[in-house]
Amino acid sequence: MVLVCEWCSSENVKSVSGTVYWELPDGSRAIEITETPAFDCPDCSMVYQSEATIKEIEDQLFLIDSKKVGKIITFKELMSIPRLLKRNYFDFS
């Protein structure tokens, strides 16, 4: 499968990991998520997360007790936190 940049359609995009900053669903604070899967396109200089990764982060933050999340967490640690519900029943997409 050939990766294509979502911004400029270049096939020169690479899978990388990086740091993102995310506001908790309740708006109480933002957290730093390190080692997050991302794509880097040297042709347009964009570094971005896929829609699937964004949805995964948003669902996980919505479905866990976010009070247990520190200021900095790795993507893998975040995804391993047990959920209060099996899935996001409020997502109708």
Side-chain angles (χ1 to χ4, degrees):
M1 181 171 113
V2 175
L3 293 177
V4 176
C5 177
E6 292 180 16
W7 294 89
C8 72
S9 301
S10 170
E11 292 183 3
N12 200 18
V13 69
K14 298 175 188 141
S15 293
V16 296
S17 65
T19 298
V20 296
Y21 300 89
W22 225 271
E23 184 177 354
L24 296 179
D26 65 4
S28 61
R29 63 192 171 101
I31 60 170
E32 181 178 330
I33 308 170
T34 61
E35 302 174 29
T36 305
F39 296 103
D40 182 9
C41 179
D43 293 339
C44 69
S45 301
M46 289 299 295
V47 178
Y48 61 94
Q49 288 70 46
S50 69
E51 290 296 324
T53 299
I54 291 169
K55 181 166 178 23
E56 194 175 0
I57 291 170
E58 289 179 349
D59 282 350
Q60 184 70 353
L61 288 173
F62 189 73
L63 296 171
I64 63 172
D65 182 359
S66 60
K67 292 179 181 92
K68 295 181 179 179
V69 178
K71 291 180 180 180
I72 302 172
I73 190 168
T74 67
F75 179 80
K76 189 174 183 177
E77 290 170 337
L78 176 64
M79 293 302 133
S80 69
I81 296 173
R83 293 178 169 193
L84 300 173
L85 297 171
K86 288 184 179 182
R87 66 181 190 93
N88 184 351
Y89 294 98
F90 302 101
D91 180 8
F92 302 108
S93 58

